[in-house]
Amino acid sequence: CQARNLNPFLKEAYLIKYSGGSPATIVVGKDAFTRRAEEHPQFDGFKAGIIVKSGEGLDYREGTFFMKGEELVGAWSEVFRKDRKHPFKSTVSRAEYDTGKSNWLKMPATMLRKVSLVQALREAFASEFSGMYDSSEMAADAELVES
């Protein structure tokens, strides 16, 4: 936390134990990513949303709203920098990340959008975020150890 200038008391970083036989993992909260991006002089905003299967095609929607009965299949994001001609884009598949547990069970669209946004921010600001991961990006098969 000290090396990355993260404050765990502000919930910028968490120490999470995923399984009894493995060491704890330090993960970074999404708000730490977005706050640092906003502080960067080259940050020029972002767009993010979900991907819903619609008939034979895919519907890319901003935000996280989808209706009961619709199939949520992924999420997308774009991060803009003032010093770049093209945005940094990320798309993620629900099948790759959804654990079906905890927040993934309650709010899968929010979780997917967060994964996609954090990935795009990490690519757009590699020197700021290299090696930093949000808990929702961690291995889908990892079991969180309850304490």
Side-chain angles (χ1 to χ4, degrees), residues 57-117:
L58 299 175
D59 185 14
Y60 287 69
R61 301 178 184 172
E62 284 199 52
T64 59
F65 180 80
F66 71 105
M67 294 176 54
K68 186 176 181 176
E70 291 184 311
E71 185 180 357
L72 174 65
V73 296
W76 62 273
S77 61
E78 296 181 353
V79 173
F80 303 92
R81 286 184 58 133
K82 295 173 186 171
D83 61 344
R84 299 292 197 283
K85 192 175 185 179
H86 302 286
F88 291 82
K89 297 180 181 184
S90 172
T91 56
V92 297
S93 166
R94 181 176 185 174
E96 191 172 350
Y97 291 96
D98 189 346
T99 63
K101 300 173 187 163
S102 189
N103 285 337
W104 285 101
L105 187 60
K106 295 182 233 174
M107 47 188 186
T110 298
M111 297 299 286
L112 278 170
R113 181 181 177 274
K114 177 170 73 162
V115 169
S116 180
L117 180 56

Side-chain angles (χ1 to χ4, degrees), residues 3 6 9-10 16-18 25 31-32 37 42-43 52 56 68 78-79 88 94 96 107 124 134 140:
L6 295 167
F9 300 108
L10 296 177
I16 298 177
K17 185 115 171 123
Y18 286 101
T25 303
D31 292 344
Q42 297 305 323
F43 180 69
V52 176
E56 295 295 315
K68 186 176 181 176
E78 296 181 353
V79 173
F88 291 82
R94 181 176 185 174
E96 191 172 350
M107 47 188 186
D134 179 79

